[in-house]
Amino acid sequence: AQSVAQPEDQVNVAEGNPLTVKCTYSVSGNPYLFWYVQYPNRGLQFLLKYITGDNLVKGSYGFEAEFNKSQTSFHLKKPSALVSDSALYFCAVRETGGNNRLAFGKGNQVVVIP
Amino acid sequence: EAGVAQSPRYKIIEKRQSVAFWCNPISGHATLYWYQQILGQGPKLLIQFQNNGVVDDSQLPKDRFSAERLKGVDSTLKIQPAKLEDSAVYLCASSLGQGVSEQYFGPGTRLTVT
């Protein structure tokens, strides 16, 4: 079954510095990969997805993610963090073929320090 | 475009009582999902509907949880009887189709079972 690991519980970064949130995945076939963000008392919001093609995917709010098949990773990045980026970030994976179930990681709390 | 609507936003019940949650997806979205998000964890799929048919309910505790999507639009999720471990946020999401379509989430219902 597909699974996702988000190894860090919390990521602290100073405003204006680069932000990276790590994600590794496990699937038996080819992956579809997603990043979602959750603000307090709100539902998850879609940021970006990798389906096929270019390994660097650009998404909403200046975020991007790089798919690395050899390292089975899909790290989320932003060149310059904003205080408003402070939120909970979830990586998710779905296998091509098989069931359509999206498996989410446990989430990473990002704290951007002014 | 209106988002996914859920009600109630908060519910407190005693164990062994019953509770129901309601979801109205984005207009035109054929696929509807119910997730359970326990504090500190990522969302876990409970059930997925395609129109009014069930696609995946393999992770739904069927002895106490039930869900329906009459007419392929609104959906209700019921728990009867509730247990302490059912305390969680219940998220509803919808998407245009299955597969690689991104999911749009509602704000969730926070359930506390005492």
Side-chain angles (χ1 to χ4, degrees), chain A residues 13-21 39 47-48 56-66 75-86 89 110 112:
Chain A
V13 62
E15 186 177 24
N17 280 4
L19 169 63
T20 298
V21 189
Y39 298 99
L47 278 179
L48 50 79
L56 185 63
V57 178
K58 294 187 182 299
S60 307
Y61 313 121
F63 284 93
E64 58 187 29
E66 186 166 11
H75 300 333
L76 181 71
K77 299 179 181 181
K78 186 171 184 179
S80 178
L82 302 172
V83 172
S84 57
D85 293 328
S86 298
Y89 291 80
V110 169
V112 182

Side-chain angles (χ1 to χ4, degrees), chain B residues 29-51:
Chain B
H29 280 194
T31 310
L32 185 146
Y33 314 79
W34 282 102
Y35 288 89
Q36 180 191 58
Q37 185 178 15
I38 292 173
L39 187 64
Q41 299 181 19
K44 170 189 159 186
L45 180 70
L46 293 175
I47 189 167
Q48 177 182 338
F49 292 93
Q50 179 71 14
N51 296 309

Side-chain angles (χ1 to χ4, degrees), chain B residues 84-113:
Chain B
L84 295 176
E85 58 261 38
D86 298 331
S87 294
V89 176
Y90 291 84
L91 295 166
C92 179
S94 69
S95 63
L96 276 172
Q98 300 182 72
V100 301
S101 298
E102 52 262 36
Q103 298 179 21
Y104 295 83
F105 285 79
T109 297
R110 182 176 297 278
L111 174 67
T112 302
V113 182

Side-chain angles (χ1 to χ4, degrees), chain A residues 35-57:
Chain A
W35 275 102
Y36 285 83
V37 60
Q38 187 174 34
Y39 298 99
N41 298 316
R42 306 257 318 256
L44 279 72
Q45 295 178 31
F46 170 77
L47 278 179
L48 50 79
K49 65 183 177 184
Y50 170 82
I51 305 302
T52 187
D54 194 348
N55 289 342
L56 185 63
V57 178

Side-chain angles (χ1 to χ4, degrees), chain B:
Chain B
E1 177 183 82
V4 176
Q6 289 188 249
S7 67
R9 292 293 311 275
Y10 304 91
K11 190 74 177 178
I12 301 174
I13 61 172
E14 295 181 351
K15 59 184 179 183
R16 291 188 289 275
Q17 286 186 323
S18 63
V19 64
F21 312 128
W22 173 82
C23 173
N24 180 241
I26 292 173
S27 177
H29 280 194
T31 310
L32 185 146
Y33 314 79
W34 282 102
Y35 288 89
Q36 180 191 58
Q37 185 178 15
I38 292 173
L39 187 64
Q41 299 181 19
K44 170 189 159 186
L45 180 70
L46 293 175
I47 189 167
Q48 177 182 338
F49 292 93
Q50 179 71 14
N51 296 309
N52 62 349
V54 175
V55 173
D56 184 354
D57 64 355
S58 58
Q59 301 188 114
L60 186 73
K62 298 181 185 65
D63 58 334
R64 298 184 299 106
F65 285 65
S66 64
E68 61 182 9
R69 191 184 184 196
L70 301 177
K71 302 180 182 178
V73 181
D74 293 6
S75 177
T76 55
L77 176 70
K78 297 179 181 178
I79 308 175
Q80 182 180 6
K83 292 185 176 181
L84 295 176
E85 58 261 38
D86 298 331
S87 294
V89 176
Y90 291 84
L91 295 166
C92 179
S94 69
S95 63
L96 276 172
Q98 300 182 72
V100 301
S101 298
E102 52 262 36
Q103 298 179 21
Y104 295 83
F105 285 79
T109 297
R110 182 176 297 278
L111 174 67
T112 302
V113 182
T114 62

